[in-house]
């Protein structure tokens, strides 16, 4: 239980670092650019890669920073490219997904199994259930009408998103991109 609590306190401490804010800003710009290239299938299904920077921020800085980053990026992307009506519930679901990724990834070894499990849980809880409830409220459609297409899309995208994210994290880690952050985190633990 103590490790779980320190996960949040350490992530909260990351907010005070200039390196965290500047890194989040750079990945935020990348998330906005990737968000512009999403593919929409009607109002209910969207395929995109803007979640990759959200996952990287959650991996580097934990659940608090990851949740705040994901939520703020959702609002910022909407302000830059409005697509439908703004619904705060969808922003809260995005915040929750960044928070959950931070709980799975922060200060933990990145394995394919961990990525598959975390992506499955986030896709099931956030994308399929909570987002479908929000879309049902927003557009006045029945939950069960929207659910099959959204569940199928997420089931198909689950291994694809997982492999892309895992491969990218491993490649960046192999190139030494994350070494600066790991050294800072190790110094904080001592």
């Amino acid at each position: 239980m103590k490790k779980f609590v320190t996960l949040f306190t350490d992530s909260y401490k990351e907010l005070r670092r200039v390196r965290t804010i500047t890194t989040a800003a750079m990945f935020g710009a990348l998330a906005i650019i990737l968000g512009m290239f999403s593919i929409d299938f009607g109002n209910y299904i969207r395929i995109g890669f803007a979640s990759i920077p959200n996952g990287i921020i959650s991996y580097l800085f934990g659940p608090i920073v990851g949740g705040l980053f994901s939520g703020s990026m959702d609002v910022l992307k909407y302000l830059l490219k409005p697509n439908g009506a703004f619904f705060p519930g969808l922003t809260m679901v995005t915040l929750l997904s960044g928070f959950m990724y931070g709980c799975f990834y922060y200060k933990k070894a990145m394995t394919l199994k961990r990525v598959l499990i975390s992506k499955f849980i986030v896709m099931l809880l956030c994308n399929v259930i909570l987002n479908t409830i929000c879309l049902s409220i927003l557009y006045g459609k029945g939950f069960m009408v929207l659910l099959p297409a959204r569940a199928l899309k997420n089931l198909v995208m689950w291994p694809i998103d997982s492999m892309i994210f895992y491969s990218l994290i491993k490649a960046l880690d192999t190139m030494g991109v994350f070494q600066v952050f790991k050294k800072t985190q190790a110094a904080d633990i001592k």
Side-chain angles (χ1 to χ4, degrees):
M1 184 66 177
K2 186 178 178 184
K3 284 185 179 182
F4 193 67
V5 172
T6 58
L7 186 76
F8 298 105
T9 56
D10 288 351
S11 180
Y12 178 74
K13 289 176 186 175
E14 296 278 2
L15 282 173
R16 294 186 292 189
R17 293 193 174 91
V18 174
R19 181 177 292 149
T20 302
I21 304 302
T22 55
T23 303
M26 288 188 303
F27 277 103
L30 182 61
I32 289 169
I33 292 167
L34 290 174
M36 298 292 177
F37 297 106
S38 62
I39 303 166
D40 294 332
F41 295 102
N43 291 329
Y44 315 115
I45 297 177
R46 176 182 299 147
I47 296 174
F49 300 102
S51 65
I52 293 171
N54 296 358
I56 293 173
I57 291 295
S58 296
Y59 169 67
L60 291 174
F61 305 118
I64 303 296
V65 177
L68 290 173
F69 178 81
S70 296
S72 61
M73 283 296 102
D74 185 66
V75 172
L76 191 57
K77 284 187 276 187
Y78 178 79
L79 291 174
L80 292 174
K81 183 185 174 189
N83 189 3
F86 180 75
F87 188 66
L90 291 170
T91 301
M92 295 307 292
V93 173
T94 305
L95 190 141
L96 177 64
S97 67
F99 179 81
M100 290 171 69
Y101 283 134
C103 290
F104 276 103
Y105 300 152
Y106 187 53
K107 294 186 177 181
K108 296 184 174 92
M110 189 59 69
T111 63
L112 182 57
K113 181 179 176 182
R114 180 179 304 281
V115 172
L116 283 168
I117 290 170
S118 66
K119 289 274 186 191
F120 181 78
I121 290 171
V122 169
M123 283 186 165
L124 178 66
L125 182 65
C126 295
N127 297 358
V128 174
I129 296 172
L130 295 175
N131 273 353
T132 305
I133 290 170
C134 290
L135 290 172
S136 176
I137 293 168
L138 185 62
Y139 292 110
K141 300 281 185 183
F143 176 80
M144 292 307 290
V145 172
L146 299 174
L147 186 64
R150 294 187 51 75
L152 180 63
K153 176 254 181 186
N154 279 283
L155 187 61
V156 169
M157 291 304 293
W158 167 52
I160 296 168
D161 284 350
S162 298
M163 287 304 298
I164 289 171
F165 183 74
Y166 176 74
S167 300
L168 186 65
I169 289 290
K170 282 302 185 183
L172 291 172
D173 200 22
T174 302
M175 288 187 281
V177 173
F178 301 137
Q179 292 303 317
V180 173
F181 302 105
K182 289 180 181 179
K183 287 178 185 176
T184 303
Q185 290 169 353
D188 290 344
I189 293 171
K190 293 177 184 177

